[in-house]
Amino acid sequence: MARVLLALVIIVVAFTVYALVDCLMLPKARVKALPRVAWFFIILLFTPIGGILWLLIGRGRRATTPAVRAIGPDDDPDFLGTMRPIHDPNEDERIRELEKRLAETDDEQDKGKSER
């Protein structure tokens, strides 16, 4: 019986400490019904009922608005809509020259295969 009583005391003390720390660390905007100091004394004087009251009544809920997710510019359609492709007039000429060299290389390789 003494072990059960000791375990119960340890659980009540741990719960009271948790409720006190939670009361002191919670942002002021989320403390409901009474001032923080009043909740502190209620939790301390009316153990464990004070801690239960704190969790049920005094502790306000978190904001229900979803977190804003940051998106990169590649995922933002508004940003992508403002981008215009940069047209380099020399690029077309360079592509034509590369295609011509590639075709010549292919012709040389085909001639080498047919001579074998």
Side-chain angles (χ1 to χ4, degrees):
M1 182 67 178
R3 290 182 181 178
V4 173
L5 190 58
L6 180 63
L8 188 61
V9 168
I10 291 173
I11 291 171
V12 168
V13 169
F15 175 71
T16 302
V17 169
Y18 170 77
L20 286 172
V21 170
D22 187 49
C23 176
L24 295 175
M25 298 299 288
L26 198 69
K28 188 176 182 179
R30 288 188 52 199
V31 176
K32 303 292 181 197
L34 296 172
R36 187 185 312 261
V37 175
W39 278 116
F40 179 82
F41 286 115
I42 289 172
I43 294 168
L44 197 59
L45 297 175
F46 301 108
T47 301
I49 303 297
I52 294 170
L53 288 174
W54 162 250
L55 293 176
L56 294 177
I57 298 171
R59 190 172 203 260
R61 295 181 184 228
R62 290 187 177 135
T64 57
T65 57
V68 176
R69 185 179 75 94
I71 58 173
D74 291 346
D75 296 332
D76 187 3
D78 295 333
F79 175 77
L80 293 175
T82 61
M83 296 193 59
R84 297 190 186 358
I86 300 172
H87 183 68
D88 184 10
N90 297 330
E91 184 177 355
D92 290 337
E93 183 179 330
R94 198 176 93 228
I95 289 174
R96 274 190 231 104
E97 180 63 33
L98 289 173
E99 286 175 347
K100 182 180 175 185
R101 277 198 255 164
L102 182 61
E104 290 171 359
T105 306
D106 285 343
D107 290 342
E108 289 174 8
Q109 287 179 357
D110 288 341
K111 287 180 186 179
K113 287 181 184 178
S114 62
E115 291 177 1
R116 286 184 195 172

